[in-house]
Amino acid sequence: MTEVRDDGETTGPDYGFPAPVFRLLEEKGRPPGPLFNPRLWKSPIRGPWLTSVFAAVLLVGLPILIVTGLLSYLAYQPQFPGNAFPGDVHGLRLPYFTWPTNPSWLYRLNQGLHVGLGLALIPIVLAKLWSVIPKLFAWPPARSAAQLLERASLALLVGSILFELATGVLNIQYDYVFGFDFYTAHYYGAWVFLAAFVTHVALKLPVMVRSLRSRRLRDELRTPLAATVPEPLDEHGLVAIDPDDPTISRRGALAVVGGASLLITAVTLGETVGWRPSALLSARGQDYGDDPTDFQVNRTARTAGIPKDVSGWTLTVVGASTVTLTRDELLAMPQHTAELPIACVEGWSTVQTWTGVRLRDLVRLAGVERPESGVVTSLEKRGAFARAVLNRKQLVEPDALLALTVNGVDLSPDHGYPARIIVPAAPGVHNTKWVERIELRA
Ligand SMILES: Nc1nc2c(c(=O)[nH]1)N[C@H]1C(S)=C(S)[C@@H](COP(=O)(O)O)O[C@H]1N2
Ligand SMILES: [Mo]
């Protein structure tokens, strides 16, 4: 053993420690207490190779999370003020484009990936953080201005990924314990994360590649507990200076983390694709009953304050002319049937068979040749869901419907009776229920 006293003072020669590690031990003026003493960290499997394995997985997964997240923001079509997203994001705008209407599963795939992958990566993020925790207490905090900047970017990186994961999980569980708007916060957090992530990858990619090359995964997967020894001491201070005997092999640790990730995927996938019995994490339950309208309801008619009696209901379409239609008049128009998903931003989706009037027939009826956008308002007068703006493609798409029935029966009150919007590839939130009025802009 090297002569390093408990207070961290070195009394002997360096006994073959690499120079940076020796310097680490030798450091004077360390804060008192065990945390800043590098000998506190004793796991014999912690080291650059293990960290880099987690890093490599995240290097593939996190960009997918970023891209699907930003696409989801764009799918909300924030160029139209009033679409259920805070339109004003203070210059953090992306180049808007007209969100397409096909393939119809586009948003379903995007959001299933975003939410499903986000959940599956949680164990890996936590494992990665565990693997680098000694660096949190490195002393001195920085040896140069460059290192100080690097550590500041790490604070943003760790803070923002934890913030994004936490707010994401709380949102899909409808647990709004925070006092701010989820979408705005998650969106701003994403930009902080994106900037910190790009910086981190640029700085650390060479170390990751070098560390991954230092051992072979195949060999590691064949190494049992008894043969598990620490990685060689490293200049980053990850490898324990004074390790305990191993209680788990590296392959065991990888299996635990990977297994946790797969388990989360297994109990989430059902919700994503619409097979609920396996959706054990779903905040809305697993079972809905056997009626044709028994499928997931986001908000019930009662919660939304929709009157029980809607017999006097009419639909108003405002264009070059204004038309008012009763439900019977709508049912007398040509009906179109399409099998389309509702894909919620929260990652769940369900495919049903919808029948109703094509939106483009209503557009034509109101005398509009080329609609630019259409503001749909609901009987539910207030709140984020009371209004959605559809883009020009969504208004002329042959499968875009004002649905009157689903799976061969009238819409249930909870699914939007008397009439609701169903647009292929659109986020669920744009499929306005209890539609009262469609205002077209040419
Ligand atoms: N008027 C109104 N329309 C609405 C909502 C709502 O709360 N009010 N929820 C939206 C959201 S977020 C989704 S995901 C879908 C869910 O439709 P469902 O409840 O029929 O499954 O409806 C959308 N249309
Ligand atoms: Mo939704």
Side-chain angles (χ1 to χ4, degrees):
M1 265 303 12
T2 322
E3 303 290 310
V4 187
R5 297 204 316 253
D6 273 345
D7 60 2
E9 293 298 317
T10 316
T11 56
D14 71 13
Y15 286 96
F17 279 135
V21 175
F22 186 66
R23 238 191 289 126
L24 201 73
L25 279 167
E26 193 187 38
E27 205 56 61
K28 295 202 167 57
R30 235 189 337 243
L35 275 180
F36 288 87
N37 185 340
R39 297 200 304 165
L40 170 73
W41 311 103
K42 299 216 178 262
S43 170
I45 60 168
R46 205 180 255 128
W49 182 82
L50 190 66
T51 294
S52 298
V53 172
F54 297 137
V57 177
L58 294 177
L59 187 58
V60 175
L62 290 174
I64 300 178
L65 216 52
I66 292 171
V67 169
T68 51
L70 294 178
L71 279 175
S72 178
Y73 161 75
L74 287 168
Y76 270 60
Q77 299 283 270
Q79 63 266 45
F80 301 115
N83 256 355
F85 188 95
D88 182 16
V89 282
H90 301 292
L92 286 178
R93 289 201 187 127
L94 290 166
Y96 299 140
F97 59 89
T98 303
W99 187 254
T101 51
N102 61 64
S104 65
W105 41 261
L106 184 65
Y107 190 74
R108 195 175 175 223
L109 175 70
N110 189 85
Q111 222 42 29
L113 265 177
H114 187 69
V115 174
L117 191 62
L119 290 171
L121 288 181
I122 289 176
I124 308 194
V125 168
L126 295 179
K128 171 89 170 22
L129 291 178
W130 169 84
S131 80
V132 295
I133 213 159
K135 299 195 75 172
L136 189 61
F137 301 100
W139 197 266
R143 288 174 197 277
S144 64
Q147 210 185 4
L148 189 70
L149 270 179
E150 192 213 323
R151 294 201 76 185
S153 81
L154 282 178
L156 291 179
L157 183 73
V158 175
S160 60
I161 187 77
L162 293 178
F163 180 83
E164 292 299 274
L165 292 175
T167 49
V169 167
L170 288 170
N171 181 55
I172 61 176
Q173 295 295 325
Y174 309 99
D175 191 354
Y176 298 102
V177 288
F178 38 80
F180 44 75
D181 175 66
F182 165 75
Y183 295 94
T184 317
H186 202 68
Y187 186 69
Y188 283 135
W191 281 100
V192 175
F193 174 67
L194 179 56
F197 179 69
V198 170
T199 309
H200 187 65
V201 171
L203 291 173
K204 288 298 163 76
L205 195 62
V207 183
M208 187 193 91
V209 172
R210 228 183 305 128
S211 308
L212 284 177
R213 289 205 180 125
S214 71
R215 341 187 117 223
R216 295 196 4 205
L217 181 63
R218 213 181 329 138
D219 295 342
E220 241 11 275
L221 294 181
R222 290 197 186 124
T223 308
L225 178 61
T228 300
V229 290
E231 294 181 46
L233 281 168
D234 69 316
E235 56 187 313
H236 316 286
L238 292 180
V239 179
I241 290 169
D242 192 7
D244 277 342
D245 287 338
T247 52
I248 190 169
S249 60
R250 281 188 194 80
R251 68 176 182 188
L254 292 178
V256 167
V257 176
S261 185
L262 287 178
L263 184 67
I264 292 178
T265 307
V267 295
T268 309
L269 205 62
E271 180 165 39
T272 309
V273 299
W275 190 66
R276 302 198 62 91
S278 73
L280 299 182
L281 298 182
S282 162
R284 293 282 199 258
Q286 273 81 58
D287 194 14
Y288 291 111
D290 302 324
D291 280 358
T293 60
D294 284 340
F295 55 91
Q296 169 124 347
V297 171
N298 182 285
R299 255 161 95 244
T300 61
R302 219 176 108 194
T303 321
I306 305 302
K308 276 234 163 62
D309 180 15
V310 285
S311 54
W313 176 86
T314 55
L315 171 79
T316 306
V317 186
V318 184
S321 57
T322 298
V323 276
T324 306
L325 298 150
T326 65
R327 198 166 190 276
D328 285 340
E329 286 169 331
L330 283 165
L331 281 167
M333 288 175 68
Q335 302 291 301
H336 180 72
T337 297
E339 207 173 294
L340 295 174
I342 294 180
C344 184
V345 68
E346 291 141 19
W348 62 264
S349 71
T350 173
V351 179
Q352 307 293 338
T353 307
W354 309 90
T355 303
V357 179
R358 281 181 162 133
L359 291 183
R360 69 175 187 194
D361 290 349
L362 294 172
V363 169
R364 218 169 285 150
L365 201 63
V368 179
E369 272 296 309
R370 291 153 147 264
E372 200 39 53
S373 64
V375 184
V376 179
T377 40
S378 167
L379 284 173
E380 178 187 3
K381 288 282 183 309
R382 265 166 310 170
F385 303 108
R387 206 175 102 100
V389 188
L390 299 178
N391 68 33
R392 59 186 162 80
K393 286 185 187 161
Q394 293 167 333
L395 289 167
V396 300
E397 156 67 40
D399 275 350
L401 302 177
L402 180 75
L404 303 164
T405 71
V406 62
N407 303 323
V409 300
D410 275 349
L411 291 174
S412 64
D414 286 345
H415 285 300
Y417 185 90
R420 79 172 299 167
I421 300 286
I422 287 287
V423 173
V429 66
H430 287 174
N431 294 326
T432 306
K433 304 195 272 192
W434 316 292
V435 173
E436 186 176 41
R437 186 180 167 91
I438 303 173
E439 223 174 301
L440 302 162
R441 312 243 159 92

